[in-house]
């Protein structure tokens, strides 16, 4: 699916990200990290897209799997974000892989709130790192996510 949706983050919003980073505790638990940075970015995307792009935090499915965020465009899920702090990357990638399979999606992200690693599941079901960003590249993060619609 392709879309003409373009989301331009304002300078004011980028300043809010910088302000949040000044008060960011790198030892914060996953919930704090998620609410301070990931949800801040997703809320702005939701607002700027006039609710065309929305997200659900910790949606459950019939198998009890709960990614941290499931991002949708006009009601159709297209992207998973898993916010992790303090667990091994191997375990986190296993979780993302499982979530993508369960939700029949191919694109997802692993983030600690600062670093955003973008993954794609290939046709052979292998998860491949495609690119990564830092939160101060918020516009690039949004552009990349929206390009997966």
């Amino acid at each position: 699916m392709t879309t003409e949706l373009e989301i331009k983050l304002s300078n004011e919003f980028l300043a809010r990200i910088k302000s949040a980073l000044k008060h960011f505790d790198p030892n914060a638990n996953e919930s704090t990290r998620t609410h301070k940075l990931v949800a801040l970015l997703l809320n702005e995307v939701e607002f700027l897209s006039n609710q065309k792009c929305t997200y659900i935090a910790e949606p459950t499915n019939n198998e009890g799997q709960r990614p941290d965020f499931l991002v949708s465009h006009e009601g159709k899920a297209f992207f998973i974000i898993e916010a992790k702090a303090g667990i091994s990357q191997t375990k986190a990638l296993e979780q993302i892989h499982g979530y993508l399979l369960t939700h029949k999606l191919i694109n997802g992200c692993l983030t600690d709130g600062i670093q955003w690693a973008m993954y794609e599941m290939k046709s052979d079901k292998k998860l491949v790192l495609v690119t990564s960003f830092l939160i101060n590249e918020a516009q690039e993060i949004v552009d990349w996510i929206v390009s997966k619609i």
Side-chain angles (χ1 to χ4, degrees), residues 16-74:
R16 284 189 6 230
I17 290 281
K18 287 181 184 175
S19 176
L21 287 172
K22 286 180 186 175
H23 305 290
F24 184 76
D25 177 2
N27 299 313
N29 67 27
E30 180 180 327
S31 176
T32 299
R33 197 174 296 234
T34 298
H35 290 289
K36 294 240 187 219
L37 296 171
V38 180
L40 180 67
L41 185 65
L42 291 177
N43 284 332
E44 189 72 1
V45 167
E46 202 169 71
F47 174 75
L48 291 174
S49 71
N50 293 318
Q51 307 296 314
K52 288 182 181 175
C53 274
T54 57
Y55 73 92
I56 300 171
E58 297 189 354
T60 55
N61 64 15
N62 295 340
E63 297 165 25
Q65 294 199 352
R66 279 190 347 228
D68 289 328
F69 298 96
L70 182 64
V71 184
S72 300
H73 177 256
E74 296 182 343

Side-chain angles (χ1 to χ4, degrees), residues 88-145:
S88 77
Q89 184 174 4
T90 301
K91 182 169 174 44
L93 290 176
E94 287 172 3
Q95 286 180 318
I96 290 174
H97 189 257
Y99 298 149
L100 290 173
L101 287 170
T102 299
H103 290 276
K104 297 178 175 62
L105 301 175
I106 61 170
N107 295 292
C109 172
L110 174 61
T111 182
D112 64 0
I114 301 290
Q115 297 178 337
W116 294 63
M118 307 301 190
Y119 290 88
E120 182 176 298
M121 188 164 46
K122 299 297 184 181
S123 59
D124 62 1
K125 306 295 184 208
K126 289 186 180 172
L127 201 57
V128 176
L129 175 65
V130 178
T131 191
S132 62
F133 303 98
L134 296 175
I135 190 62
N136 62 355
E137 300 170 292
Q139 183 65 59
E140 289 84 351
I141 293 169
V142 169
D143 291 346
W144 199 87
I145 292 172

Side-chain angles (χ1 to χ4, degrees), residues 3-21:
T3 182
E4 297 297 318
L5 183 64
E6 184 176 329
I7 297 173
K8 179 72 173 134
L9 300 176
S10 69
N11 289 334
E12 292 82 8
F13 175 76
L14 296 173
R16 284 189 6 230
I17 290 281
K18 287 181 184 175
S19 176
L21 287 172

